[in-house]
Amino acid sequence: MWDFIFPKRCIGCGAFGSYFCFSCFRKIHFVTSGICPVCERASIYGVTHPVCLNKYSIDGLSSVAIYEGVMKIAIRKFKYKPYLSHLGEVLGLILANISHFSVPKGEWIVTAVPLHRHKEKERGFNQAEILGKVIGERLGYKFVPDILLRQKETKIQAKLSEEERKKNIAEAFVLNGKNHLLISEKSIIMVDDVWTTGATIRTCANVLKRGGVKRVWGLTLAR
Ligand SMILES: [Zn+2]
Ligand SMILES: [Zn+2]
């Protein structure tokens, strides 16, 4: 029904038929080399440099595309226009197909960066959760959406100083007590749509590791 009211059009050029026509899909700038999620310098396979790693830091990061052009437009539409219902799944499939090669093997639990419940209610969905769900299904991992809770609404970051920004994010996430046993000694993939400064995912990793998680890997559609 939604396709009838909002027929699928290419995000890049507007051609009818699909969200990415062949030629616009080819323009997506896919990531070819990894970065260390702690210092953001080059790192093979996105593994955190041994010198950057401490007890509570994130272990690695995989991102599929550079946040520009058609991918940037797609992510923004996905976030703010929920009626493009299948777009999230299409993006999830792109993420699943490509990260299949870049997430280390093993048993993982997939989760997503949470939104504050007020924000989720306002938007009607959590975009990271939609991606996480597809990842879980496609890669055969258990998907648990509410491992972390966002306990305070993050203020608009742009208006804050560097110090305020760090504090604001550091206090934003807490473990959801009901999943404590489930995550103990486990490996977790933390999914989000975009890696910008990385502060959010690094903080999530920190909270998870303090809660007994063994390994945390970030996975984003773009960076
Ligand atoms: Zn196109
Ligand atoms: Zn590093």
Side-chain angles (χ1 to χ4, degrees), residues 71-84:
M71 183 54 89
K72 188 170 180 175
I73 301 167
I75 290 173
R76 285 190 176 165
K77 288 203 172 185
F78 169 41
K79 205 180 266 190
Y80 299 111
K81 299 191 176 177
Y83 56 82
L84 295 173

Side-chain angles (χ1 to χ4, degrees), residues 149-214:
L149 299 175
R150 202 159 192 145
Q151 63 174 354
K152 72 180 220 185
E153 286 177 272
T154 321
K155 295 178 200 127
I156 311 268
Q157 294 284 347
K159 291 183 183 160
L160 302 177
S161 71
E162 175 84 28
E163 265 323 291
E164 288 173 317
R165 209 175 285 201
K166 278 186 185 156
K167 187 166 176 281
N168 190 32
I169 292 181
E171 292 170 350
F173 302 97
V174 282
L175 274 181
N176 184 351
K178 75 170 190 185
N179 291 317
H180 191 83
L181 284 174
L182 180 81
I183 61 168
S184 178
E185 288 298 306
K186 293 290 185 344
S187 300
I188 291 185
I189 296 177
M190 179 57 69
V191 178
D192 205 358
D193 50 358
V194 187
W195 172 278
T196 38
T197 65
T200 305
I201 295 185
R202 277 194 298 270
T203 303
C204 289
N206 185 291
V207 175
L208 288 172
K209 287 210 159 171
R210 286 176 191 276
V213 169
K214 193 172 72 187

Side-chain angles (χ1 to χ4, degrees), residues 35-43 47-53:
I35 58 165
C36 163
V38 174
C39 70
E40 299 195 284
R41 282 192 275 264
S43 164
V47 178
T48 301
H49 298 128
V51 293
C52 294
L53 196 68

Side-chain angles (χ1 to χ4, degrees), residues 9-15 18-25 27 70:
R9 299 183 71 157
C10 173
I11 281 156
C13 69
S18 64
Y19 290 126
F20 297 98
C21 77
F22 183 67
S23 101
C24 290
F25 186 82
K27 287 184 203 147
V70 69

Side-chain angles (χ1 to χ4, degrees), residues 51-120:
V51 293
C52 294
L53 196 68
N54 69 39
K55 209 172 154 192
Y56 301 121
S57 49
I58 185 165
D59 298 276
L61 170 73
S62 301
S63 301
V64 163
I66 301 296
Y67 191 51
E68 60 170 36
V70 69
M71 183 54 89
K72 188 170 180 175
I73 301 167
I75 290 173
R76 285 190 176 165
K77 288 203 172 185
F78 169 41
K79 205 180 266 190
Y80 299 111
K81 299 191 176 177
Y83 56 82
L84 295 173
S85 56
H86 298 304
L87 179 57
E89 277 163 51
V90 172
L91 293 174
L93 288 176
I94 294 174
L95 182 58
N97 280 312
I98 292 173
S99 53
H100 178 66
F101 303 103
S102 53
V103 170
K105 299 291 165 244
E107 263 192 51
W108 295 89
I109 294 174
V110 178
T111 194
V113 172
L115 286 179
H116 190 276
R117 64 193 157 80
H118 292 162
K119 200 162 184 184
E120 187 163 345

